[in-house]
mmCIF file of all heavy atoms in Angstrom:
data_model
loop_
_atom_site.group_PDB
_atom_site.id
_atom_site.type_symbol
_atom_site.label_atom_id
_atom_site.label_comp_id
_atom_site.label_asym_id
_atom_site.label_seq_id
_atom_site.Cartn_x
_atom_site.Cartn_y
_atom_site.Cartn_z
ATOM 1 N N GLY A 155 167.739 5.880 102.915
ATOM 2 C CA GLY A 155 168.781 6.876 102.695
ATOM 3 C C GLY A 155 169.005 7.072 101.211
ATOM 4 O O GLY A 155 168.297 6.509 100.374
ATOM 5 N N PRO A 156 170.002 7.864 100.881
ATOM 6 C CA PRO A 156 170.254 8.162 99.467
ATOM 7 C C PRO A 156 170.677 6.915 98.714
ATOM 8 O O PRO A 156 171.385 6.063 99.239
ATOM 9 C CB PRO A 156 171.379 9.204 99.493
ATOM 10 C CG PRO A 156 171.975 9.116 100.856
ATOM 11 C CD PRO A 156 170.947 8.522 101.754
ATOM 12 N N ASP A 157 170.214 6.816 97.479
ATOM 13 C CA ASP A 157 170.620 5.694 96.631
ATOM 14 C C ASP A 157 172.071 5.852 96.244
ATOM 15 O O ASP A 157 172.555 6.953 96.012
ATOM 16 C CB ASP A 157 169.778 5.655 95.366
ATOM 17 C CG ASP A 157 168.325 5.267 95.629
ATOM 18 O OD1 ASP A 157 168.093 4.560 96.630
ATOM 19 O OD2 ASP A 157 167.458 5.682 94.867
ATOM 20 N N GLU A 158 172.764 4.718 96.217
ATOM 21 C CA GLU A 158 174.143 4.735 95.710
ATOM 22 C C GLU A 158 174.094 4.994 94.216
ATOM 23 O O GLU A 158 173.259 4.435 93.513
ATOM 24 C CB GLU A 158 174.810 3.376 95.970
ATOM 25 C CG GLU A 158 175.123 3.112 97.432
ATOM 26 C CD GLU A 158 176.209 4.011 97.966
ATOM 27 O OE1 GLU A 158 177.200 4.245 97.236
ATOM 28 O OE2 GLU A 158 176.049 4.511 99.074
ATOM 29 N N PRO A 159 174.978 5.853 93.721
ATOM 30 C CA PRO A 159 174.993 6.062 92.265
ATOM 31 C C PRO A 159 175.335 4.781 91.539
ATOM 32 O O PRO A 159 176.124 3.985 92.035
ATOM 33 C CB PRO A 159 176.075 7.115 92.062
ATOM 34 C CG PRO A 159 176.670 7.413 93.370
ATOM 35 C CD PRO A 159 175.977 6.584 94.405
ATOM 36 N N GLU A 160 174.736 4.593 90.400
ATOM 37 C CA GLU A 160 175.041 3.390 89.609
ATOM 38 C C GLU A 160 176.327 3.616 88.829
ATOM 39 O O GLU A 160 176.563 4.676 88.304
ATOM 40 C CB GLU A 160 173.886 3.085 88.663
ATOM 41 C CG GLU A 160 172.666 2.604 89.407
ATOM 42 C CD GLU A 160 171.651 1.992 88.480
ATOM 43 O OE1 GLU A 160 172.020 1.451 87.419
ATOM 44 O OE2 GLU A 160 170.466 2.059 88.820
ATOM 45 N N PHE A 161 177.141 2.580 88.785
ATOM 46 C CA PHE A 161 178.396 2.646 88.057
ATOM 47 C C PHE A 161 178.580 1.357 87.268
ATOM 48 O O PHE A 161 177.929 0.351 87.547
ATOM 49 C CB PHE A 161 179.582 2.864 88.999
ATOM 50 C CG PHE A 161 179.729 1.777 90.034
ATOM 51 C CD1 PHE A 161 180.368 0.585 89.725
ATOM 52 C CD2 PHE A 161 179.216 1.951 91.306
ATOM 53 C CE1 PHE A 161 180.488 -0.420 90.671
ATOM 54 C CE2 PHE A 161 179.330 0.948 92.270
ATOM 55 C CZ PHE A 161 179.965 -0.237 91.946
ATOM 56 N N THR A 162 179.474 1.413 86.322
ATOM 57 C CA THR A 162 179.880 0.236 85.567
ATOM 58 C C THR A 162 181.307 -0.088 85.972
ATOM 59 O O THR A 162 182.179 0.785 85.952
ATOM 60 C CB THR A 162 179.832 0.518 84.045
ATOM 61 O OG1 THR A 162 178.524 0.947 83.706
ATOM 62 C CG2 THR A 162 180.197 -0.719 83.242
ATOM 63 N N SER A 163 181.546 -1.331 86.367
ATOM 64 C CA SER A 163 182.907 -1.747 86.743
ATOM 65 C C SER A 163 183.799 -1.823 85.508
ATOM 66 O O SER A 163 183.369 -2.256 84.442
ATOM 67 C CB SER A 163 182.872 -3.120 87.414
ATOM 68 O OG SER A 163 182.216 -3.049 88.652
ATOM 69 N N PHE A 164 185.040 -1.397 85.688
ATOM 70 C CA PHE A 164 186.054 -1.508 84.635
ATOM 71 C C PHE A 164 186.649 -2.896 84.761
ATOM 72 O O PHE A 164 187.407 -3.189 85.677
ATOM 73 C CB PHE A 164 187.118 -0.432 84.812
ATOM 74 C CG PHE A 164 188.257 -0.531 83.837
ATOM 75 C CD1 PHE A 164 188.019 -0.433 82.470
ATOM 76 C CD2 PHE A 164 189.558 -0.679 84.268
ATOM 77 C CE1 PHE A 164 189.063 -0.523 81.558
ATOM 78 C CE2 PHE A 164 190.605 -0.754 83.364
ATOM 79 C CZ PHE A 164 190.367 -0.676 82.020
ATOM 80 N N ARG A 165 186.262 -3.780 83.834
ATOM 81 C CA ARG A 165 186.747 -5.162 83.815
ATOM 82 C C ARG A 165 187.245 -5.482 82.406
ATOM 83 O O ARG A 165 186.547 -6.127 81.622
ATOM 84 C CB ARG A 165 185.642 -6.129 84.186
ATOM 85 C CG ARG A 165 185.195 -5.987 85.609
ATOM 86 C CD ARG A 165 184.109 -6.981 85.900
ATOM 87 N NE ARG A 165 183.880 -7.019 87.322
ATOM 88 C CZ ARG A 165 183.225 -7.972 87.931
ATOM 89 N NH1 ARG A 165 182.754 -8.974 87.249
ATOM 90 N NH2 ARG A 165 183.045 -7.933 89.221
ATOM 91 N N PRO A 166 188.436 -5.014 82.088
ATOM 92 C CA PRO A 166 188.936 -5.197 80.735
ATOM 93 C C PRO A 166 189.221 -6.652 80.401
ATOM 94 O O PRO A 166 189.638 -7.430 81.276
ATOM 95 C CB PRO A 166 190.212 -4.365 80.707
ATOM 96 C CG PRO A 166 190.674 -4.397 82.126
ATOM 97 C CD PRO A 166 189.422 -4.407 82.957
ATOM 98 N N GLU A 167 188.988 -6.995 79.156
ATOM 99 C CA GLU A 167 189.294 -8.344 78.682
ATOM 100 C C GLU A 167 190.359 -8.321 77.590
ATOM 101 O O GLU A 167 191.124 -9.270 77.467
ATOM 102 C CB GLU A 167 188.011 -8.999 78.163
ATOM 103 C CG GLU A 167 186.996 -9.237 79.261
ATOM 104 C CD GLU A 167 185.712 -9.859 78.743
ATOM 105 O OE1 GLU A 167 185.658 -10.223 77.546
ATOM 106 O OE2 GLU A 167 184.763 -9.996 79.531
ATOM 107 N N GLN A 168 190.387 -7.248 76.823
ATOM 108 C CA GLN A 168 191.314 -7.150 75.697
ATOM 109 C C GLN A 168 192.345 -6.075 75.957
ATOM 110 O O GLN A 168 191.998 -4.994 76.463
ATOM 111 C CB GLN A 168 190.561 -6.831 74.405
ATOM 112 C CG GLN A 168 189.535 -7.873 74.009
ATOM 113 C CD GLN A 168 190.172 -9.216 73.730
ATOM 114 O OE1 GLN A 168 191.233 -9.312 73.133
ATOM 115 N NE2 GLN A 168 189.533 -10.274 74.192
ATOM 116 N N PRO A 169 193.608 -6.291 75.571
ATOM 117 C CA PRO A 169 194.611 -5.239 75.680
ATOM 118 C C PRO A 169 194.145 -3.976 74.949
ATOM 119 O O PRO A 169 193.524 -4.050 73.913
ATOM 120 C CB PRO A 169 195.837 -5.846 74.994
ATOM 121 C CG PRO A 169 195.657 -7.327 75.126
ATOM 122 C CD PRO A 169 194.159 -7.542 75.025
ATOM 123 N N GLY A 170 194.411 -2.851 75.569
ATOM 124 C CA GLY A 170 194.026 -1.570 74.996
ATOM 125 C C GLY A 170 192.749 -1.002 75.557
ATOM 126 O O GLY A 170 192.464 0.183 75.390
ATOM 127 N N GLU A 171 191.934 -1.833 76.225
ATOM 128 C CA GLU A 171 190.725 -1.306 76.836
ATOM 129 C C GLU A 171 191.130 -0.349 77.948
ATOM 130 O O GLU A 171 192.085 -0.602 78.694
ATOM 131 C CB GLU A 171 189.853 -2.434 77.410
ATOM 132 C CG GLU A 171 189.225 -3.291 76.327
ATOM 133 C CD GLU A 171 188.317 -4.358 76.914
ATOM 134 O OE1 GLU A 171 187.548 -4.071 77.845
ATOM 135 O OE2 GLU A 171 188.425 -5.498 76.449
ATOM 136 N N SER A 172 190.415 0.774 78.043
ATOM 137 C CA SER A 172 190.811 1.788 79.007
ATOM 138 C C SER A 172 189.611 2.542 79.555
ATOM 139 O O SER A 172 188.503 2.452 79.016
ATOM 140 C CB SER A 172 191.795 2.767 78.358
ATOM 141 O OG SER A 172 191.159 3.469 77.314
ATOM 142 N N VAL A 173 189.876 3.292 80.596
ATOM 143 C CA VAL A 173 188.883 4.191 81.190
ATOM 144 C C VAL A 173 189.632 5.438 81.632
ATOM 145 O O VAL A 173 190.767 5.354 82.099
ATOM 146 C CB VAL A 173 188.133 3.511 82.350
ATOM 147 C CG1 VAL A 173 189.049 3.149 83.491
ATOM 148 C CG2 VAL A 173 186.995 4.386 82.836
ATOM 149 N N GLU A 174 188.981 6.581 81.450
ATOM 150 C CA GLU A 174 189.579 7.845 81.879
ATOM 151 C C GLU A 174 188.471 8.747 82.394
ATOM 152 O O GLU A 174 187.379 8.774 81.838
ATOM 153 C CB GLU A 174 190.293 8.523 80.720
ATOM 154 C CG GLU A 174 190.931 9.833 81.082
ATOM 155 C CD GLU A 174 191.714 10.471 79.961
ATOM 156 O OE1 GLU A 174 191.831 9.872 78.879
ATOM 157 O OE2 GLU A 174 192.179 11.603 80.159
ATOM 158 N N GLY A 175 188.791 9.484 83.456
ATOM 159 C CA GLY A 175 187.786 10.407 83.976
ATOM 160 C C GLY A 175 188.284 11.154 85.177
ATOM 161 O O GLY A 175 189.440 11.079 85.585
ATOM 162 N N THR A 176 187.343 11.885 85.778
ATOM 163 C CA THR A 176 187.618 12.674 86.977
ATOM 164 C C THR A 176 187.241 11.842 88.198
ATOM 165 O O THR A 176 186.161 11.268 88.255
ATOM 166 C CB THR A 176 186.787 13.971 86.940
ATOM 167 O OG1 THR A 176 187.130 14.691 85.744
ATOM 168 C CG2 THR A 176 187.060 14.843 88.155
ATOM 169 N N VAL A 177 188.137 11.786 89.162
ATOM 170 C CA VAL A 177 187.929 10.985 90.369
ATOM 171 C C VAL A 177 186.763 11.535 91.158
ATOM 172 O O VAL A 177 186.697 12.736 91.460
ATOM 173 C CB VAL A 177 189.201 10.947 91.239
ATOM 174 C CG1 VAL A 177 188.945 10.229 92.556
ATOM 175 C CG2 VAL A 177 190.347 10.279 90.469
ATOM 176 N N VAL A 178 185.817 10.651 91.472
ATOM 177 C CA VAL A 178 184.629 10.995 92.265
ATOM 178 C C VAL A 178 184.784 10.485 93.701
ATOM 179 O O VAL A 178 184.483 11.189 94.650
ATOM 180 C CB VAL A 178 183.355 10.429 91.609
ATOM 181 C CG1 VAL A 178 182.123 10.712 92.459
ATOM 182 C CG2 VAL A 178 183.187 10.978 90.210
ATOM 183 N N THR A 179 185.214 9.234 93.835
ATOM 184 C CA THR A 179 185.446 8.651 95.166
ATOM 185 C C THR A 179 186.703 7.795 95.156
ATOM 186 O O THR A 179 187.069 7.217 94.131
ATOM 187 C CB THR A 179 184.267 7.764 95.639
ATOM 188 O OG1 THR A 179 184.130 6.652 94.746
ATOM 189 C CG2 THR A 179 182.964 8.541 95.744
ATOM 190 N N VAL A 180 187.335 7.724 96.329
ATOM 191 C CA VAL A 180 188.500 6.863 96.541
ATOM 192 C C VAL A 180 188.253 6.127 97.852
ATOM 193 O O VAL A 180 187.978 6.729 98.882
ATOM 194 C CB VAL A 180 189.808 7.692 96.655
ATOM 195 C CG1 VAL A 180 191.002 6.765 96.900
ATOM 196 C CG2 VAL A 180 190.028 8.548 95.422
ATOM 197 N N SER A 181 188.328 4.811 97.790
ATOM 198 C CA SER A 181 188.147 4.007 98.997
ATOM 199 C C SER A 181 188.970 2.720 98.835
ATOM 200 O O SER A 181 189.805 2.615 97.957
ATOM 201 C CB SER A 181 186.668 3.702 99.217
ATOM 202 O OG SER A 181 186.151 2.947 98.142
ATOM 203 N N SER A 182 188.685 1.760 99.704
ATOM 204 C CA SER A 182 189.361 0.459 99.573
ATOM 205 C C SER A 182 188.397 -0.618 100.060
ATOM 206 O O SER A 182 187.402 -0.345 100.709
ATOM 207 C CB SER A 182 190.655 0.437 100.372
ATOM 208 O OG SER A 182 190.394 0.565 101.741
ATOM 209 N N THR A 183 188.740 -1.832 99.701
ATOM 210 C CA THR A 183 187.971 -2.997 100.135
ATOM 211 C C THR A 183 188.949 -4.097 100.472
ATOM 212 O O THR A 183 190.163 -3.905 100.355
ATOM 213 C CB THR A 183 186.962 -3.431 99.036
ATOM 214 O OG1 THR A 183 186.073 -4.410 99.568
ATOM 215 C CG2 THR A 183 187.647 -3.975 97.797
ATOM 216 N N THR A 184 188.439 -5.233 100.899
ATOM 217 C CA THR A 184 189.300 -6.366 101.230
ATOM 218 C C THR A 184 189.107 -7.465 100.207
ATOM 219 O O THR A 184 188.170 -7.444 99.414
ATOM 220 C CB THR A 184 188.968 -6.905 102.636
ATOM 221 O OG1 THR A 184 187.589 -7.293 102.664
ATOM 222 C CG2 THR A 184 189.226 -5.859 103.704
ATOM 223 N N SER A 185 190.006 -8.419 100.237
ATOM 224 C CA SER A 185 189.944 -9.552 99.343
ATOM 225 C C SER A 185 190.395 -10.798 100.091
ATOM 226 O O SER A 185 191.256 -10.715 100.973
ATOM 227 C CB SER A 185 190.864 -9.303 98.134
ATOM 228 O OG SER A 185 191.036 -10.475 97.378
ATOM 229 N N ASP A 186 189.854 -11.932 99.698
ATOM 230 C CA ASP A 186 190.272 -13.198 100.281
ATOM 231 C C ASP A 186 191.671 -13.602 99.795
ATOM 232 O O ASP A 186 192.268 -14.529 100.335
ATOM 233 C CB ASP A 186 189.291 -14.313 99.939
ATOM 234 C CG ASP A 186 187.941 -14.121 100.599
ATOM 235 O OD1 ASP A 186 187.873 -13.409 101.631
ATOM 236 O OD2 ASP A 186 186.954 -14.660 100.081
ATOM 237 N N TYR A 187 192.171 -12.937 98.764
ATOM 238 C CA TYR A 187 193.412 -13.353 98.120
ATOM 239 C C TYR A 187 194.635 -12.545 98.528
ATOM 240 O O TYR A 187 195.747 -12.853 98.121
ATOM 241 C CB TYR A 187 193.241 -13.280 96.598
ATOM 242 C CG TYR A 187 192.121 -14.181 96.131
ATOM 243 C CD1 TYR A 187 190.882 -13.663 95.818
ATOM 244 C CD2 TYR A 187 192.287 -15.557 96.042
ATOM 245 C CE1 TYR A 187 189.841 -14.479 95.398
ATOM 246 C CE2 TYR A 187 191.262 -16.387 95.650
ATOM 247 C CZ TYR A 187 190.038 -15.841 95.323
ATOM 248 O OH TYR A 187 189.014 -16.654 94.944
ATOM 249 N N THR A 188 194.425 -11.472 99.308
ATOM 250 C CA THR A 188 195.562 -10.671 99.739
ATOM 251 C C THR A 188 195.230 -10.019 101.078
ATOM 252 O O THR A 188 194.064 -9.766 101.385
ATOM 253 C CB THR A 188 195.914 -9.573 98.709
ATOM 254 O OG1 THR A 188 197.020 -8.825 99.193
ATOM 255 C CG2 THR A 188 194.758 -8.640 98.445
#
């Protein structure tokens, strides 16, 4: 099937790091912590 588009995760380490753009997809996932 179609390849998933490649993306870079937003994982900031320093205050002030940011990301801005146009929303392409909105979904959700689960976590063991909540």
Side-chain angles (χ1 to χ4, degrees):
D157 291 333
E158 289 291 319
E160 289 194 29
F161 60 82
T162 304
S163 293
F164 176 60
R165 293 181 169 196
E167 295 179 6
Q168 300 298 319
E171 290 183 43
S172 64
V173 63
E174 180 177 355
T176 302
V177 174
V178 176
T179 63
V180 179
S181 62
S182 65
T183 190
T184 58
S185 169
D186 292 338
Y187 300 101
T188 180

